[in-house]
Amino acid sequence: MTDLGPEQSQVPPQNIKSPTAIWVLGTLGIVHGLFHLFRMSRTTYNTVIEMQKYPETTRWAIIFVLISTAFAACFWIWQIIVGWGLFKMKKWSRRWALIYAWIQLVLNIAITFYSTIIIFTGLINPPQGRWPFWFIYMQMMLMALIYPILLLIFMQTKKVKQAFSAIGG
């Protein structure tokens, strides 16, 4: 082990340039997560109020909606935290972004299949008909898949991997 001396041992940390993809995905993650938290809270409130108007609605159905909302809120908060981490180039953020993206991708696909079964088996009967409702729902689900797919693609690029390996992530 060699002694570098006082003038060489005080090397300033390397200034790591963040690829544009990280900055964009971090910003999108924060904005997207905040938007969905706001939208979800409004939608849940309106759904519970609407459900209470019908006597056949059970208390368990309302509890299910509230638990589902809390579960979804955890994912949107996770997305905001990961977005902030990407934006700030935190070394943990790439790993957690990939985990988030895979879980979100699998959940969105599973929910899409489950919802399609419910719509077409007649468990719900939308007033505008099954096909228009299904088409609108599929558009929403495809939009929900965009962010996780972008994360999976861009977090695997050479520049992004190099940027995170430079900070030890």
Side-chain angles (χ1 to χ4, degrees):
M1 188 159 155
T2 60
D3 184 19
L4 297 175
E7 66 281 345
Q8 292 179 348
S9 65
Q10 301 292 329
V11 176
Q14 183 181 3
N15 189 8
I16 301 162
K17 187 168 182 334
S18 169
T20 305
I22 296 174
W23 185 85
V24 170
L25 288 171
T27 304
L28 281 175
I30 294 168
V31 171
H32 191 243
L34 288 171
F35 169 76
H36 280 290
L37 275 176
F38 173 73
R39 183 190 60 84
M40 183 182 55
S41 61
R42 259 188 55 206
T43 304
T44 301
Y45 175 78
N46 292 339
T47 302
V48 170
I49 296 299
E50 192 66 28
M51 288 173 82
Q52 290 176 348
K53 293 179 183 176
Y54 300 98
E56 66 272 8
T57 302
T58 66
R59 183 178 309 269
W60 291 110
I62 294 172
I63 290 171
F64 177 76
V65 167
L66 294 175
I67 290 172
S68 299
T69 301
F71 184 71
C74 291
F75 278 99
W76 298 123
I77 291 169
W78 185 1
Q79 183 179 4
I80 293 167
I81 292 169
V82 166
W84 177 83
L86 289 172
F87 187 77
K88 293 292 196 175
M89 281 291 294
K90 300 294 182 183
K91 63 182 180 179
W92 50 264
S93 63
R94 180 178 175 269
R95 181 178 307 118
W96 283 103
L98 288 170
I99 292 169
Y100 170 84
W102 278 111
I103 291 173
Q104 196 67 15
L105 195 65
V106 169
L107 282 176
N108 282 340
I109 291 170
I111 290 169
T112 300
F113 283 124
Y114 176 73
S115 300
T116 300
I117 291 168
I118 287 178
I119 292 167
F120 286 106
T121 57
L123 292 175
I124 65 168
N125 198 8
Q128 66 268 42
R130 285 190 180 98
W131 280 104
F133 182 79
W134 183 80
F135 184 70
I136 291 168
Y137 186 78
M138 287 301 115
Q139 287 177 330
M140 291 178 358
M141 290 311 292
L142 286 173
M143 293 299 290
L145 290 172
I146 290 173
Y147 185 73
I149 289 171
L150 288 176
L151 274 176
L152 289 173
I153 292 170
F154 286 104
M155 289 294 116
Q156 299 298 330
T157 63
K158 189 175 182 177
K159 281 185 179 180
V160 171
K161 285 181 178 180
Q162 286 174 344
F164 279 101
S165 65
I167 59 172

